[in-house]
Amino acid sequence: MTETHTAYTDTDTLIRALDAAETMPAAVRLRARSYELLRLPPGATVVDVGCGTARAVAELAEHAAHAIGVDLDPAMLAAARSRYPDIDVRAADAIDLPLGDGQVHGYRADKLYHILPDPHAALAEARRVLVPGGRIALLGQDWDIMVIDSDQPELTRRIVHARADTIPHPRIARAYRNLLLDAGFHDVDIEVHTVVFTGATMLPILVGHATAAHQTGAIGEDEAANWISEQTQRAENDRLLVAIPMFLATGTR
């Protein structure tokens, strides 16, 4: 999953926000790049951990003989099965995958590791299920880095950092390369791709950021309302701009 449920009133709202973001052309290209870097051989099995509604699982099925999705959220898995009845999605934890040793040729986790209680244990589990020579791809954002155009820059900084502070591991994406090296992966590389949004697609997420910042006490109710009003007007007038650097780290088992 890409977000914690904090700042969203229900899973349906979260899913709508994710759908809007994931269908943007830049997001589609970034997912395709992650598939490419897995270098899946013919007949490969690949697992997408934290699959959410399984958009990537369905896309990976076009690249592999068997694509498996894993998630802990029952609502996400229900949505995945409703959207893609023929895919293989399973309820499981990232540190206890329902897979045998050396069963998969590719392991992918998109916007997941920032919410995991134990990322190191998850990487150890990734090594367990990967065949020797299998590939891993970790994709995610650094929550302290989000460029948002605003007439209130100081308030915007407070909102971004306050939202980051609600995440268990907000800066883990910048550490992906070292995490993979420490876990024993080789041929490790990292790319940074900036995803730019200029329409209303990101507005629900920005509202979520301001709401979370208010809930933590970092900003007042009036500040949250004024900032949300500004961003809403920007979206309505085609003046919204959000840029998010996405870190894509890969390695070989």
mmCIF file of all heavy atoms in Angstrom, residues 4-46:
data_model
loop_
_atom_site.group_PDB
_atom_site.id
_atom_site.type_symbol
_atom_site.label_atom_id
_atom_site.label_comp_id
_atom_site.label_asym_id
_atom_site.label_seq_id
_atom_site.Cartn_x
_atom_site.Cartn_y
_atom_site.Cartn_z
ATOM 1 N N THR A 4 -0.501 5.031 4.705
ATOM 2 C CA THR A 4 -1.208 4.553 5.869
ATOM 3 C C THR A 4 -2.623 5.113 5.801
ATOM 4 O O THR A 4 -2.915 6.033 5.058
ATOM 5 C CB THR A 4 -0.531 5.050 7.153
ATOM 6 O OG1 THR A 4 -0.602 6.464 7.169
ATOM 7 C CG2 THR A 4 0.914 4.599 7.231
ATOM 8 N N HIS A 5 -3.506 4.564 6.607
ATOM 9 C CA HIS A 5 -4.888 5.036 6.564
ATOM 10 C C HIS A 5 -5.073 6.322 7.349
ATOM 11 O O HIS A 5 -6.155 6.901 7.337
ATOM 12 C CB HIS A 5 -5.817 3.933 7.099
ATOM 13 C CG HIS A 5 -6.006 2.827 6.118
ATOM 14 N ND1 HIS A 5 -7.210 2.533 5.548
ATOM 15 C CD2 HIS A 5 -5.127 1.945 5.591
ATOM 16 C CE1 HIS A 5 -7.092 1.510 4.721
ATOM 17 N NE2 HIS A 5 -5.828 1.129 4.737
ATOM 18 N N THR A 6 -4.028 6.776 8.058
ATOM 19 C CA THR A 6 -4.109 8.042 8.764
ATOM 20 C C THR A 6 -4.461 9.163 7.794
ATOM 21 O O THR A 6 -3.915 9.245 6.712
ATOM 22 C CB THR A 6 -2.764 8.361 9.427
ATOM 23 O OG1 THR A 6 -2.410 7.277 10.276
ATOM 24 C CG2 THR A 6 -2.851 9.624 10.246
ATOM 25 N N ALA A 7 -5.389 10.010 8.188
ATOM 26 C CA ALA A 7 -5.824 11.177 7.415
ATOM 27 C C ALA A 7 -6.819 10.815 6.321
ATOM 28 O O ALA A 7 -7.259 11.686 5.594
ATOM 29 C CB ALA A 7 -4.637 11.920 6.810
ATOM 30 N N TYR A 8 -7.207 9.525 6.219
ATOM 31 C CA TYR A 8 -8.270 9.147 5.301
ATOM 32 C C TYR A 8 -9.427 8.588 6.123
ATOM 33 O O TYR A 8 -9.233 7.811 7.055
ATOM 34 C CB TYR A 8 -7.789 8.111 4.285
ATOM 35 C CG TYR A 8 -6.847 8.709 3.270
ATOM 36 C CD1 TYR A 8 -5.472 8.687 3.476
ATOM 37 C CD2 TYR A 8 -7.335 9.341 2.136
ATOM 38 C CE1 TYR A 8 -4.609 9.261 2.556
ATOM 39 C CE2 TYR A 8 -6.474 9.923 1.213
ATOM 40 C CZ TYR A 8 -5.114 9.871 1.433
ATOM 41 O OH TYR A 8 -4.255 10.457 0.526
ATOM 42 N N THR A 9 -10.641 8.981 5.764
ATOM 43 C CA THR A 9 -11.791 8.596 6.571
ATOM 44 C C THR A 9 -12.170 7.140 6.352
ATOM 45 O O THR A 9 -12.748 6.522 7.240
ATOM 46 C CB THR A 9 -12.995 9.492 6.223
ATOM 47 O OG1 THR A 9 -13.254 9.406 4.812
ATOM 48 C CG2 THR A 9 -12.694 10.938 6.588
ATOM 49 N N ASP A 10 -11.868 6.572 5.196
ATOM 50 C CA ASP A 10 -12.199 5.181 4.935
ATOM 51 C C ASP A 10 -11.337 4.662 3.791
ATOM 52 O O ASP A 10 -10.659 5.419 3.100
ATOM 53 C CB ASP A 10 -13.689 5.040 4.587
ATOM 54 C CG ASP A 10 -14.104 5.952 3.441
ATOM 55 O OD1 ASP A 10 -13.531 5.816 2.343
ATOM 56 O OD2 ASP A 10 -14.985 6.806 3.644
ATOM 57 N N THR A 11 -11.377 3.349 3.623
ATOM 58 C CA THR A 11 -10.548 2.722 2.599
ATOM 59 C C THR A 11 -10.969 3.145 1.197
ATOM 60 O O THR A 11 -10.125 3.294 0.308
ATOM 61 C CB THR A 11 -10.625 1.187 2.733
ATOM 62 O OG1 THR A 11 -10.201 0.814 4.045
ATOM 63 C CG2 THR A 11 -9.722 0.512 1.720
ATOM 64 N N ASP A 12 -12.270 3.337 0.980
ATOM 65 C CA ASP A 12 -12.734 3.755 -0.343
ATOM 66 C C ASP A 12 -12.108 5.090 -0.751
ATOM 67 O O ASP A 12 -11.723 5.276 -1.909
ATOM 68 C CB ASP A 12 -14.261 3.878 -0.365
ATOM 69 C CG ASP A 12 -14.955 2.529 -0.346
ATOM 70 O OD1 ASP A 12 -14.280 1.519 -0.644
ATOM 71 O OD2 ASP A 12 -16.155 2.476 -0.016
ATOM 72 N N THR A 13 -12.012 6.026 0.204
ATOM 73 C CA THR A 13 -11.376 7.312 -0.091
ATOM 74 C C THR A 13 -9.910 7.112 -0.451
ATOM 75 O O THR A 13 -9.395 7.723 -1.393
ATOM 76 C CB THR A 13 -11.500 8.248 1.123
ATOM 77 O OG1 THR A 13 -12.881 8.423 1.445
ATOM 78 C CG2 THR A 13 -10.874 9.607 0.829
ATOM 79 N N LEU A 14 -9.236 6.261 0.300
ATOM 80 C CA LEU A 14 -7.836 5.971 0.019
ATOM 81 C C LEU A 14 -7.673 5.355 -1.353
ATOM 82 O O LEU A 14 -6.791 5.750 -2.133
ATOM 83 C CB LEU A 14 -7.281 5.030 1.095
ATOM 84 C CG LEU A 14 -5.868 4.495 0.880
ATOM 85 C CD1 LEU A 14 -4.861 5.625 0.767
ATOM 86 C CD2 LEU A 14 -5.491 3.547 2.008
ATOM 87 N N ILE A 15 -8.508 4.388 -1.690
ATOM 88 C CA ILE A 15 -8.411 3.724 -2.985
ATOM 89 C C ILE A 15 -8.631 4.715 -4.127
ATOM 90 O O ILE A 15 -7.923 4.687 -5.131
ATOM 91 C CB ILE A 15 -9.410 2.550 -3.071
ATOM 92 C CG1 ILE A 15 -8.945 1.404 -2.166
ATOM 93 C CG2 ILE A 15 -9.545 2.055 -4.514
ATOM 94 C CD1 ILE A 15 -9.930 0.255 -2.077
ATOM 95 N N ARG A 16 -9.596 5.616 -3.973
ATOM 96 C CA ARG A 16 -9.830 6.622 -5.009
ATOM 97 C C ARG A 16 -8.609 7.521 -5.189
ATOM 98 O O ARG A 16 -8.244 7.862 -6.326
ATOM 99 C CB ARG A 16 -11.070 7.463 -4.670
ATOM 100 C CG ARG A 16 -12.384 6.740 -4.885
ATOM 101 C CD ARG A 16 -13.559 7.711 -4.896
ATOM 102 N NE ARG A 16 -13.699 8.406 -3.616
ATOM 103 C CZ ARG A 16 -14.407 7.939 -2.591
ATOM 104 N NH1 ARG A 16 -15.021 6.781 -2.684
ATOM 105 N NH2 ARG A 16 -14.506 8.645 -1.471
ATOM 106 N N ALA A 17 -7.987 7.905 -4.086
ATOM 107 C CA ALA A 17 -6.782 8.741 -4.179
ATOM 108 C C ALA A 17 -5.652 8.000 -4.870
ATOM 109 O O ALA A 17 -4.941 8.555 -5.715
ATOM 110 C CB ALA A 17 -6.352 9.185 -2.777
ATOM 111 N N LEU A 18 -5.491 6.731 -4.526
ATOM 112 C CA LEU A 18 -4.439 5.935 -5.154
ATOM 113 C C LEU A 18 -4.707 5.737 -6.637
ATOM 114 O O LEU A 18 -3.786 5.817 -7.465
ATOM 115 C CB LEU A 18 -4.322 4.576 -4.458
ATOM 116 C CG LEU A 18 -3.905 4.601 -2.989
ATOM 117 C CD1 LEU A 18 -3.850 3.188 -2.432
ATOM 118 C CD2 LEU A 18 -2.566 5.294 -2.822
ATOM 119 N N ASP A 19 -5.948 5.456 -6.970
ATOM 120 C CA ASP A 19 -6.301 5.264 -8.384
ATOM 121 C C ASP A 19 -5.961 6.509 -9.198
ATOM 122 O O ASP A 19 -5.422 6.417 -10.304
ATOM 123 C CB ASP A 19 -7.795 4.956 -8.533
ATOM 124 C CG ASP A 19 -8.134 3.520 -8.184
ATOM 125 O OD1 ASP A 19 -7.211 2.686 -8.127
ATOM 126 O OD2 ASP A 19 -9.333 3.233 -7.972
ATOM 127 N N ALA A 20 -6.287 7.665 -8.647
ATOM 128 C CA ALA A 20 -6.026 8.912 -9.367
ATOM 129 C C ALA A 20 -4.534 9.107 -9.590
ATOM 130 O O ALA A 20 -4.097 9.491 -10.683
ATOM 131 C CB ALA A 20 -6.606 10.098 -8.594
ATOM 132 N N ALA A 21 -3.736 8.824 -8.564
ATOM 133 C CA ALA A 21 -2.289 9.017 -8.688
ATOM 134 C C ALA A 21 -1.658 7.970 -9.595
ATOM 135 O O ALA A 21 -0.781 8.279 -10.410
ATOM 136 C CB ALA A 21 -1.644 8.980 -7.311
ATOM 137 N N GLU A 22 -2.092 6.726 -9.478
ATOM 138 C CA GLU A 22 -1.433 5.628 -10.189
ATOM 139 C C GLU A 22 -1.752 5.586 -11.675
ATOM 140 O O GLU A 22 -1.062 4.904 -12.440
ATOM 141 C CB GLU A 22 -1.806 4.294 -9.538
ATOM 142 C CG GLU A 22 -1.185 4.127 -8.161
ATOM 143 C CD GLU A 22 -1.628 2.849 -7.468
ATOM 144 O OE1 GLU A 22 -2.486 2.135 -8.035
ATOM 145 O OE2 GLU A 22 -1.118 2.568 -6.371
ATOM 146 N N THR A 23 -2.790 6.296 -12.102
ATOM 147 C CA THR A 23 -3.118 6.320 -13.523
ATOM 148 C C THR A 23 -2.467 7.484 -14.258
ATOM 149 O O THR A 23 -2.592 7.591 -15.477
ATOM 150 C CB THR A 23 -4.645 6.384 -13.726
ATOM 151 O OG1 THR A 23 -5.182 7.479 -12.976
ATOM 152 C CG2 THR A 23 -5.308 5.098 -13.265
ATOM 153 N N MET A 24 -1.751 8.335 -13.528
ATOM 154 C CA MET A 24 -1.030 9.424 -14.187
ATOM 155 C C MET A 24 0.079 8.836 -15.061
ATOM 156 O O MET A 24 0.713 7.844 -14.700
ATOM 157 C CB MET A 24 -0.427 10.366 -13.150
ATOM 158 C CG MET A 24 -1.447 11.080 -12.296
ATOM 159 S SD MET A 24 -2.434 12.259 -13.247
ATOM 160 C CE MET A 24 -1.191 13.522 -13.576
ATOM 161 N N PRO A 25 0.331 9.441 -16.236
ATOM 162 C CA PRO A 25 1.342 8.886 -17.155
ATOM 163 C C PRO A 25 2.707 8.675 -16.508
ATOM 164 O O PRO A 25 3.366 7.652 -16.753
ATOM 165 C CB PRO A 25 1.401 9.926 -18.272
ATOM 166 C CG PRO A 25 0.039 10.552 -18.273
ATOM 167 C CD PRO A 25 -0.386 10.586 -16.840
ATOM 168 N N ALA A 26 3.151 9.596 -15.666
ATOM 169 C CA ALA A 26 4.467 9.449 -15.033
ATOM 170 C C ALA A 26 4.491 8.239 -14.107
ATOM 171 O O ALA A 26 5.500 7.525 -14.031
ATOM 172 C CB ALA A 26 4.826 10.721 -14.265
ATOM 173 N N ALA A 27 3.397 7.993 -13.402
ATOM 174 C CA ALA A 27 3.327 6.839 -12.511
ATOM 175 C C ALA A 27 3.306 5.541 -13.311
ATOM 176 O O ALA A 27 3.927 4.541 -12.915
ATOM 177 C CB ALA A 27 2.092 6.938 -11.624
ATOM 178 N N VAL A 28 2.616 5.539 -14.432
ATOM 179 C CA VAL A 28 2.577 4.357 -15.303
ATOM 180 C C VAL A 28 3.984 4.049 -15.822
ATOM 181 O O VAL A 28 4.434 2.895 -15.823
ATOM 182 C CB VAL A 28 1.593 4.581 -16.465
ATOM 183 C CG1 VAL A 28 1.684 3.429 -17.477
ATOM 184 C CG2 VAL A 28 0.172 4.726 -15.945
ATOM 185 N N ARG A 29 4.700 5.086 -16.239
ATOM 186 C CA ARG A 29 6.075 4.884 -16.746
ATOM 187 C C ARG A 29 6.995 4.370 -15.648
ATOM 188 O O ARG A 29 7.851 3.509 -15.894
ATOM 189 C CB ARG A 29 6.615 6.197 -17.314
ATOM 190 C CG ARG A 29 5.963 6.634 -18.620
ATOM 191 C CD ARG A 29 6.753 7.752 -19.274
ATOM 192 N NE ARG A 29 6.786 8.961 -18.450
ATOM 193 C CZ ARG A 29 5.891 9.940 -18.545
ATOM 194 N NH1 ARG A 29 4.880 9.850 -19.403
ATOM 195 N NH2 ARG A 29 5.982 11.014 -17.775
ATOM 196 N N LEU A 30 6.829 4.858 -14.439
ATOM 197 C CA LEU A 30 7.688 4.439 -13.345
ATOM 198 C C LEU A 30 7.441 2.974 -12.991
ATOM 199 O O LEU A 30 8.396 2.224 -12.741
ATOM 200 C CB LEU A 30 7.454 5.328 -12.123
ATOM 201 C CG LEU A 30 8.348 5.094 -10.923
ATOM 202 C CD1 LEU A 30 9.819 5.148 -11.304
ATOM 203 C CD2 LEU A 30 8.042 6.115 -9.826
ATOM 204 N N ARG A 31 6.195 2.552 -12.967
ATOM 205 C CA ARG A 31 5.920 1.137 -12.722
ATOM 206 C C ARG A 31 6.546 0.273 -13.811
ATOM 207 O O ARG A 31 7.155 -0.755 -13.529
ATOM 208 C CB ARG A 31 4.408 0.875 -12.661
ATOM 209 C CG ARG A 31 3.742 1.335 -11.392
ATOM 210 C CD ARG A 31 2.388 0.654 -11.186
ATOM 211 N NE ARG A 31 1.494 0.772 -12.321
ATOM 212 C CZ ARG A 31 0.737 1.840 -12.568
ATOM 213 N NH1 ARG A 31 0.809 2.893 -11.773
ATOM 214 N NH2 ARG A 31 -0.069 1.864 -13.608
ATOM 215 N N ALA A 32 6.413 0.702 -15.052
ATOM 216 C CA ALA A 32 6.993 -0.055 -16.157
ATOM 217 C C ALA A 32 8.509 -0.165 -16.014
ATOM 218 O O ALA A 32 9.103 -1.215 -16.302
ATOM 219 C CB ALA A 32 6.630 0.594 -17.490
ATOM 220 N N ARG A 33 9.139 0.900 -15.543
ATOM 221 C CA ARG A 33 10.590 0.864 -15.326
ATOM 222 C C ARG A 33 10.945 -0.147 -14.244
ATOM 223 O O ARG A 33 11.943 -0.877 -14.373
ATOM 224 C CB ARG A 33 11.084 2.261 -14.943
ATOM 225 C CG ARG A 33 12.582 2.351 -14.633
ATOM 226 C CD ARG A 33 13.442 1.956 -15.814
ATOM 227 N NE ARG A 33 14.851 2.163 -15.526
ATOM 228 C CZ ARG A 33 15.842 1.583 -16.223
ATOM 229 N NH1 ARG A 33 15.572 0.777 -17.237
ATOM 230 N NH2 ARG A 33 17.095 1.831 -15.906
ATOM 231 N N SER A 34 10.149 -0.222 -13.194
ATOM 232 C CA SER A 34 10.429 -1.197 -12.138
ATOM 233 C C SER A 34 10.304 -2.624 -12.653
ATOM 234 O O SER A 34 11.087 -3.505 -12.270
ATOM 235 C CB SER A 34 9.503 -0.976 -10.935
ATOM 236 O OG SER A 34 8.178 -1.385 -11.194
ATOM 237 N N TYR A 35 9.348 -2.880 -13.551
ATOM 238 C CA TYR A 35 9.213 -4.213 -14.125
ATOM 239 C C TYR A 35 10.438 -4.542 -14.988
ATOM 240 O O TYR A 35 10.957 -5.657 -14.948
ATOM 241 C CB TYR A 35 7.960 -4.315 -14.988
ATOM 242 C CG TYR A 35 6.667 -3.867 -14.330
ATOM 243 C CD1 TYR A 35 5.609 -3.381 -15.108
ATOM 244 C CD2 TYR A 35 6.485 -3.906 -12.948
ATOM 245 C CE1 TYR A 35 4.422 -2.963 -14.529
ATOM 246 C CE2 TYR A 35 5.297 -3.490 -12.360
ATOM 247 C CZ TYR A 35 4.283 -3.010 -13.157
ATOM 248 O OH TYR A 35 3.104 -2.600 -12.581
ATOM 249 N N GLU A 36 10.856 -3.558 -15.765
ATOM 250 C CA GLU A 36 12.011 -3.752 -16.647
ATOM 251 C C GLU A 36 13.256 -4.129 -15.841
ATOM 252 O O GLU A 36 14.012 -5.036 -16.221
ATOM 253 C CB GLU A 36 12.263 -2.471 -17.442
ATOM 254 C CG GLU A 36 13.496 -2.497 -18.322
ATOM 255 C CD GLU A 36 13.791 -1.139 -18.948
ATOM 256 O OE1 GLU A 36 13.071 -0.168 -18.645
ATOM 257 O OE2 GLU A 36 14.759 -1.052 -19.718
ATOM 258 N N LEU A 37 13.469 -3.450 -14.713
ATOM 259 C CA LEU A 37 14.670 -3.675 -13.920
ATOM 260 C C LEU A 37 14.640 -5.004 -13.169
ATOM 261 O O LEU A 37 15.677 -5.460 -12.673
ATOM 262 C CB LEU A 37 14.879 -2.527 -12.941
ATOM 263 C CG LEU A 37 15.248 -1.185 -13.591
ATOM 264 C CD1 LEU A 37 15.290 -0.075 -12.560
ATOM 265 C CD2 LEU A 37 16.594 -1.290 -14.306
ATOM 266 N N LEU A 38 13.486 -5.651 -13.079
ATOM 267 C CA LEU A 38 13.428 -6.989 -12.491
ATOM 268 C C LEU A 38 14.060 -8.039 -13.401
ATOM 269 O O LEU A 38 14.436 -9.111 -12.928
ATOM 270 C CB LEU A 38 11.974 -7.384 -12.178
ATOM 271 C CG LEU A 38 11.335 -6.688 -10.983
ATOM 272 C CD1 LEU A 38 9.871 -7.070 -10.868
ATOM 273 C CD2 LEU A 38 12.067 -7.017 -9.690
ATOM 274 N N ARG A 39 14.151 -7.738 -14.688
ATOM 275 C CA ARG A 39 14.807 -8.636 -15.657
ATOM 276 C C ARG A 39 14.262 -10.060 -15.553
ATOM 277 O O ARG A 39 15.012 -11.030 -15.433
ATOM 278 C CB ARG A 39 16.322 -8.656 -15.444
ATOM 279 C CG ARG A 39 16.995 -7.300 -15.488
ATOM 280 C CD ARG A 39 18.459 -7.411 -15.115
ATOM 281 N NE ARG A 39 19.090 -6.112 -14.916
ATOM 282 C CZ ARG A 39 20.264 -5.939 -14.296
ATOM 283 N NH1 ARG A 39 20.936 -6.984 -13.829
ATOM 284 N NH2 ARG A 39 20.760 -4.733 -14.149
ATOM 285 N N LEU A 40 12.955 -10.172 -15.612
ATOM 286 C CA LEU A 40 12.322 -11.472 -15.423
ATOM 287 C C LEU A 40 12.619 -12.409 -16.586
ATOM 288 O O LEU A 40 12.404 -12.054 -17.737
ATOM 289 C CB LEU A 40 10.812 -11.295 -15.274
ATOM 290 C CG LEU A 40 10.366 -10.494 -14.043
ATOM 291 C CD1 LEU A 40 8.884 -10.216 -14.101
ATOM 292 C CD2 LEU A 40 10.731 -11.227 -12.753
ATOM 293 N N PRO A 41 13.095 -13.618 -16.290
ATOM 294 C CA PRO A 41 13.356 -14.588 -17.359
ATOM 295 C C PRO A 41 12.058 -15.238 -17.826
ATOM 296 O O PRO A 41 11.026 -15.141 -17.148
ATOM 297 C CB PRO A 41 14.267 -15.609 -16.682
ATOM 298 C CG PRO A 41 13.833 -15.581 -15.246
ATOM 299 C CD PRO A 41 13.456 -14.140 -14.969
ATOM 300 N N PRO A 42 12.070 -15.913 -18.969
ATOM 301 C CA PRO A 42 10.870 -16.630 -19.415
ATOM 302 C C PRO A 42 10.422 -17.640 -18.360
ATOM 303 O O PRO A 42 11.243 -18.314 -17.734
ATOM 304 C CB PRO A 42 11.347 -17.338 -20.698
ATOM 305 C CG PRO A 42 12.512 -16.517 -21.174
ATOM 306 C CD PRO A 42 13.183 -16.008 -19.942
ATOM 307 N N GLY A 43 9.119 -17.730 -18.151
ATOM 308 C CA GLY A 43 8.586 -18.666 -17.176
ATOM 309 C C GLY A 43 8.731 -18.217 -15.735
ATOM 310 O O GLY A 43 8.564 -19.011 -14.807
ATOM 311 N N ALA A 44 9.034 -16.937 -15.515
ATOM 312 C CA ALA A 44 9.334 -16.438 -14.180
ATOM 313 C C ALA A 44 8.097 -16.373 -13.288
ATOM 314 O O ALA A 44 6.971 -16.201 -13.752
ATOM 315 C CB ALA A 44 9.968 -15.050 -14.273
ATOM 316 N N THR A 45 8.350 -16.480 -11.989
ATOM 317 C CA THR A 45 7.357 -16.172 -10.961
ATOM 318 C C THR A 45 7.803 -14.900 -10.254
ATOM 319 O O THR A 45 8.979 -14.746 -9.923
ATOM 320 C CB THR A 45 7.244 -17.319 -9.939
ATOM 321 O OG1 THR A 45 6.778 -18.500 -10.607
ATOM 322 C CG2 THR A 45 6.274 -16.968 -8.817
ATOM 323 N N VAL A 46 6.877 -13.988 -10.036
ATOM 324 C CA VAL A 46 7.211 -12.707 -9.415
ATOM 325 C C VAL A 46 6.174 -12.392 -8.349
ATOM 326 O O VAL A 46 4.993 -12.728 -8.495
ATOM 327 C CB VAL A 46 7.267 -11.584 -10.481
ATOM 328 C CG1 VAL A 46 5.937 -11.426 -11.202
ATOM 329 C CG2 VAL A 46 7.687 -10.248 -9.859
#
